[in-house]
Amino acid sequence: MNMIITCSRNNEFNAREEMKQVLDQFKNHSYNITITKLSGILFIKTSIDPKYVIELIKNKIILEPWSIRYCSRIIPIHNEVKTTVMEITNGVLKLLKLNKDDRYRITIEKRNSKISTKEIISKIAKNVPNKVSLTCFDYEIMIQIVGERTGITVEQPNSILSVLKLKRSESE
């Protein structure tokens, strides 16, 4: 997977069709959209850079706000690992390329897993010498745990597309 889509419960098929329409605009690429067993969660594996897809959707929302109705959030994923503390920590450390003055934040969203959030955060923080900041950070380490699969993203703030937030900001 290189993107996670969230939607409201029982709208997974509508969200999948919405994303198909977006992804079908690209020529010569492949994609696979999987509706997970968890309500409101879809996985996408595409040959297109997720950042580019998110920018396309942002522009689409700005021009035609009604065109995206079922997708709630679009989360880029840079690395997928098994849901273990060691795999997640190693996955984060492989992606992390911070300058010495960069501050970071760790955000974990857990679904269908009993893995310890505190343990993950402490293992990562122990291996990263940079300062942590919950409010004023340069990079966000986003960990999406979905059962046995975990998606990891290391991005600057606001890399996740929240459709509702964008629509609200555009209407003001």
Side-chain angles (χ1 to χ4, degrees):
M1 91 180 108
N2 59 359
M3 283 190 283
I4 293 177
I5 305 292
T6 65
C7 64
S8 59
R9 183 170 288 193
N10 299 322
N11 273 314
E12 295 86 1
F13 292 101
N14 294 326
R16 180 178 65 188
E17 292 305 310
E18 208 166 67
M19 283 308 298
K20 279 183 180 181
Q21 288 178 356
V22 170
L23 294 171
D24 283 342
Q25 295 176 25
F26 298 99
K27 304 281 187 231
N28 301 321
H29 77 283
S30 60
Y31 67 86
N32 184 31
I33 303 173
T34 306
I35 296 174
T36 68
K37 293 179 182 177
L38 296 174
S39 188
I41 305 293
L42 293 88
F43 292 152
I44 297 181
K45 177 68 177 165
T46 178
S47 57
I48 306 164
D49 181 4
K51 283 184 179 182
Y52 186 68
V53 174
I54 288 172
E55 284 305 312
L56 177 80
I57 294 170
K58 282 181 182 178
N59 291 333
K60 191 172 182 74
I61 291 169
I62 291 167
L63 296 173
E64 305 168 356
W66 60 91
S67 64
I68 305 294
R69 297 181 4 212
Y70 298 104
C71 295
S72 300
R73 289 189 311 151
I74 301 162
I75 305 163
I77 301 296
H78 298 144
N79 193 4
E80 180 184 346
V81 297
K82 287 184 179 181
T83 303
T84 68
V85 174
M86 185 62 75
E87 290 278 331
I88 294 169
T89 303
N90 289 339
V92 167
L93 295 176
K94 282 181 188 176
L95 292 173
L96 211 54
K97 293 173 179 34
L98 301 177
N99 294 321
K100 69 175 188 164
D101 295 331
D102 288 339
R103 289 171 289 180
Y104 70 97
R105 170 190 170 139
I106 301 173
T107 303
I108 298 177
E109 291 185 10
K110 255 184 354 181
R111 300 169 188 92
N112 202 25
S113 177
K114 294 182 180 180
I115 194 166
S116 169
T117 301
K118 273 186 173 180
E119 188 177 355
I120 294 168
I121 290 172
S122 66
K123 285 272 193 206
I124 293 169
K126 190 187 306 180
N127 288 288
V128 180
N130 296 58
K131 290 185 178 182
V132 174
S133 175
L134 300 178
T135 56
C136 187
F137 50 92
D138 301 296
Y139 288 92
E140 182 172 20
I141 300 168
M142 179 67 112
I143 301 169
Q144 295 285 326
I145 299 172
V146 184
E148 296 297 316
R149 297 170 76 178
T150 297
I152 301 168
T153 303
V154 177
E155 281 284 345
Q156 293 177 330
N158 302 317
S159 63
I160 294 173
L161 173 58
S162 173
V163 173
L164 188 57
K165 283 182 184 176
L166 180 59
K167 286 180 179 181
R168 281 185 187 151
S169 71
E170 287 300 310
S171 69
E172 292 175 350

